[in-house]
């Protein structure tokens, strides 16, 4: 199987009045898989950024392991730090399956080529170094699907717009930027991903 086509565009904005964004993210594509993660440090500002970046660093170093193992490793390094909420999406090109785990309010919405939207229900709580159960959802990976990953700065009403069905990820994040409120009441990250 040849290289897949995964296109990514990111919109990120810190909470109004803050220099540091408490959200961190990472994405990477290899021959076998694509991975994307958003970690949102509890609260906002520098300490929130420190925790979320620590989690993203762990995911970068270990992105070959399963989603469940990534969540476990992320949880372990947070002991004694401010907690995070976390969402990880991983596409396996060989098995044509995508896996997703969300702890706290990191959301994912899928939009199929025929414009069917579906939102996941995240697990409640957050990661802070304490033992907890990890739920991973697995679905068939279909070409022509948009994946929209977002932190809690993205409002429910903003997700109802029709531009999320656009095939161009750059147009999705640009339209989001132009139609959403410029002064954010929370750190905001929205990542548009297209699998073709």
């Amino acid at each position: 199987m040849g290289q897949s086509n995964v296109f990514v565009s990111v919109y990120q904005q810190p909470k109004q009045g803050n220099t540091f964004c408490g959200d961190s993210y990472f994405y990477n594509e290899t021959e076998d898989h694509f991975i994307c993660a958003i970690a949102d440090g509890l609260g906002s500002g520098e300490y929130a950024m420190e925790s979320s970046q620590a989690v993203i660093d762990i995911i970068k170093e270990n992105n070959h392991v399963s989603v469940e193992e990534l969540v476990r490793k992320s949880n372990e390094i947070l002991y004694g730090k401010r907690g995070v909420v976390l969402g990880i999406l991983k596409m396996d090109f060989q098995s044509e399956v995508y896996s997703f785990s969300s702890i706290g309010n990191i959301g994912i919405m899928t939009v199929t080529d025929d414009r069917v939207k579906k939102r996941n229900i995240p697990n409640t709580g957050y990661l802070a170094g304490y033992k907890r159960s990890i739920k991973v959802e697995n679905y068939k990976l279909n070409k022509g699907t948009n994946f929209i990953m977002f932190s809690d700065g993205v409002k429910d009403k903003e997700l109802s717009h029709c531009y999320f069905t656009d095939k161009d990820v750059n147009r999705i994040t640009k339209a989001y930027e132009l139609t959403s409120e410029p002064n954010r009441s929370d750190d905001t990250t929205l990542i548009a991903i297209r699998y073709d």
Side-chain angles (χ1 to χ4, degrees):
M1 181 178 170
Q3 190 69 5
S4 87
N5 292 312
V6 181
F7 303 94
V8 182
S9 182
V10 180
Y11 168 90
Q12 188 172 65
Q13 194 72 32
K15 180 179 177 178
Q16 186 179 3
N18 278 3
T19 311
F20 297 101
C21 183
D23 295 354
S24 299
Y25 66 88
F26 164 72
Y27 62 87
N28 184 50
E29 183 177 357
T30 69
E31 205 171 296
D32 301 319
H33 70 263
F34 170 85
I35 188 164
C36 184
I38 299 176
D40 176 357
L42 300 186
S44 61
E46 192 171 357
Y47 292 115
M49 184 186 81
E50 184 188 289
S51 285
S52 66
Q53 193 55 55
V55 165
I56 292 301
D57 290 344
I58 281 289
I59 293 169
K60 278 182 187 172
E61 290 162 23
N62 297 280
N63 72 79
H64 55 283
V65 303
S66 71
V67 169
E68 185 174 353
E69 189 60 25
L70 286 171
V71 175
R72 194 172 288 116
K73 284 179 182 293
S74 299
N75 192 30
E76 283 167 9
I77 58 123
L78 287 169
Y79 192 77
K81 289 188 172 68
R82 195 179 280 194
V84 305
V85 293
L86 175 67
I88 304 174
L89 166 70
K90 191 167 188 180
M91 303 178 194
D92 186 313
F93 302 141
Q94 309 303 320
S95 63
E96 297 185 338
V97 166
Y98 73 89
S99 305
F100 184 77
S101 186
S102 171
I103 291 94
N105 43 19
I106 302 293
I108 187 168
M109 177 172 73
T110 55
V111 187
T112 61
D113 239 358
D114 49 3
R115 299 180 171 225
V116 176
K117 287 184 185 175
K118 187 177 144 203
R119 286 225 3 226
N120 80 305
I121 310 292
N123 298 308
T124 56
Y126 56 91
L127 300 178
Y130 307 105
K131 195 168 171 59
R132 59 160 298 140
S133 62
I134 299 164
K135 190 176 100 187
V136 178
E137 297 178 53
N138 300 294
Y139 299 99
K140 179 159 177 30
L141 179 61
N142 295 310
K143 287 189 181 293
T145 302
N146 288 354
F147 296 87
I148 312 296
M149 284 181 70
F150 50 92
S151 66
D152 62 347
V154 176
K155 306 282 180 279
D156 280 352
K157 65 176 198 281
E158 294 173 331
L159 290 166
S160 62
H161 289 286
C162 60
Y163 56 72
F164 286 111
T165 62
D166 200 314
K167 290 177 169 58
D168 184 323
V169 289
N170 295 310
R171 283 201 299 256
I172 291 173
T173 52
K174 195 71 195 159
Y176 178 78
E177 183 179 358
L178 293 172
T179 57
S180 67
E181 301 152 19
N183 298 324
R184 309 303 301 182
S185 59
D186 200 349
D187 296 325
T188 303
T189 304
L190 182 136
I191 304 179
I193 302 157
R194 172 85 178 172
Y195 174 66
D196 264 332

